[in-house]
Amino acid sequence: MTYDTVVFDNDGVLVGRTRFDVLRDATRDAFEECGVEEPDPDDVEQMTIGATPGSVGTVCQTYDLDPGSFWRTRDDVVSRAQQQEAREGRKTPYDDLDELQDLDVQMGIVSSNQQATVDFLVDHFDGFDRMGAAYGREPTIHSLQLRKPNPHYIEQALGDLDADNALFVGDNESDVRAAENAGIDSAFIRRPHRRDWELNVWPTWEIERLSDLHDIVE
C-alpha cells in the first residue's frame, strides 16, 4: 500500500496529553468566569471531557447560563491552560517527532482539541513545519458534534492536502472509526498510555513509534 498523505491526531500522538486535573481545574475556572463560584463537581467533570450539545444545555440550564457563551468561555480557558502547560514544559512533543522530517508524504493534523490549542502548539514547538493542514474544533457547541469519529475535520484536511491515498494516525478508538468513516486507512500508535490497551476496533496498522511509518509509507 502506498500513501501520499499522512494525517495525525495531535494529543497522545505528536505531543503529550494534558493531565486531566489541569483540564478539570480550567473548566472550574470557566464556571467561575461565568459567575458560578461553586459548581457541582459532577458538572465540572461532565464539562471537562466528553461534553455533548445536550449535556452542555442541561448543565447550563442548572446555573441559568447561556450555553453558547458558556462553551466559548470554557474552550478559551481550557485552551489557555494547555498553552501554559506547554510554555512551562509540562506538555511537550514526543521525542520521535523529528522522524517525520524525511517522511516522503504530505502531512496534516486533525484534533478534537480547540483550534486555538492546535495553532499554539504548532507555532510554539519545532518539528511541525511540514504540516500542510492543522485542524481543531471551533469554540462552538456545534463543533462537539464534529469531533471524531465524525470524519468532518479529516475530510477538510484531506481536501486541503489534495490527498489521493491517505492514512490517519491516532491513539484512540474514535480515531480509527473516524478514518473508517472518511474511507481511509488507519494506524493506531501504542504510546505508553496505550501500551496494553485492548482495542475494540481494527486499525489497518498498529505502530509503536512514528519511525514505524517509514516502513508503512515507503
Side-chain angles (χ1 to χ4, degrees):
M1 179 65 69
T2 301
Y3 300 104
D4 67 345
T5 305
V6 179
V7 179
F8 301 87
D9 180 30
N10 200 33
D11 299 275
V13 176
L14 302 179
V15 299
R17 300 188 302 171
T18 305
R19 298 194 324 272
F20 177 77
D21 63 294
V22 171
L23 302 175
R24 182 189 57 215
D25 291 349
T27 301
R28 185 183 299 111
D29 290 344
F31 273 99
E32 292 181 2
E33 284 199 18
C34 291
V36 181
E37 294 186 1
E38 295 185 6
D40 187 305
D42 289 341
D43 292 336
V44 173
E45 186 151 340
Q46 193 174 20
M47 295 297 95
T48 300
I49 295 288
T52 65
S55 66
V56 174
T58 298
V59 167
C60 286
Q61 189 172 24
T62 301
Y63 301 100
D64 195 26
L65 298 174
D66 175 72
S69 177
F70 166 77
W71 193 254
R72 283 192 298 274
T73 300
R74 182 268 182 202
D75 262 359
D76 178 59
V77 176
V78 169
S79 179
R80 284 191 274 119
Q82 293 181 85
Q83 293 174 35
Q84 189 65 22
E85 288 292 289
R87 288 191 185 95
E88 297 183 3
R90 292 186 293 269
K91 184 179 180 70
T92 59
Y94 286 100
D95 60 8
D96 57 354
L97 182 62
D98 60 354
E99 294 283 351
L100 301 180
Q101 288 301 317
D102 58 351
L103 195 66
D104 190 22
V105 292
Q106 304 177 102
M107 287 183 280
I109 294 171
V110 170
S111 171
S112 290
N113 213 332
Q114 301 89 10
Q115 184 71 57
T117 305
V118 174
D119 289 343
F120 175 84
L121 295 174
V122 167
D123 290 340
H124 183 70
F125 293 120
D126 295 331
F128 289 93
D129 50 291
R130 291 204 51 214
M131 298 297 167
Y135 279 96
R137 287 189 302 101
E138 300 89 348
T140 65
I141 294 176
H142 175 65
S143 74
L144 297 174
Q145 296 177 302
L146 304 178
R147 290 179 303 191
K148 296 166 289 184
N150 189 314
H152 175 77
Y153 294 113
I154 292 180
E155 290 170 347
Q156 284 194 322
L158 297 181
D160 288 353
L161 298 169
D162 197 23
D164 288 324
N165 197 21
L167 176 71
F168 187 66
V169 182
D171 68 319
N172 284 298
E173 294 185 359
S174 61
D175 295 321
V176 177
R177 292 194 177 99
E180 291 175 354
N181 291 336
I184 63 174
D185 288 354
S186 61
F188 184 83
I189 187 166
R190 288 197 175 274
R191 292 299 193 188
H193 64 280
R194 291 288 187 254
R195 194 72 72 211
D196 300 317
W197 191 266
E198 292 187 14
L199 284 170
N200 295 304
V201 292
W202 291 268
T204 314
W205 309 91
E206 287 194 34
I207 61 176
E208 298 288 332
R209 294 178 54 82
L210 295 176
S211 56
D212 295 339
L213 291 171
H214 288 273
D215 293 332
I216 293 173
V217 169
E218 299 168 4

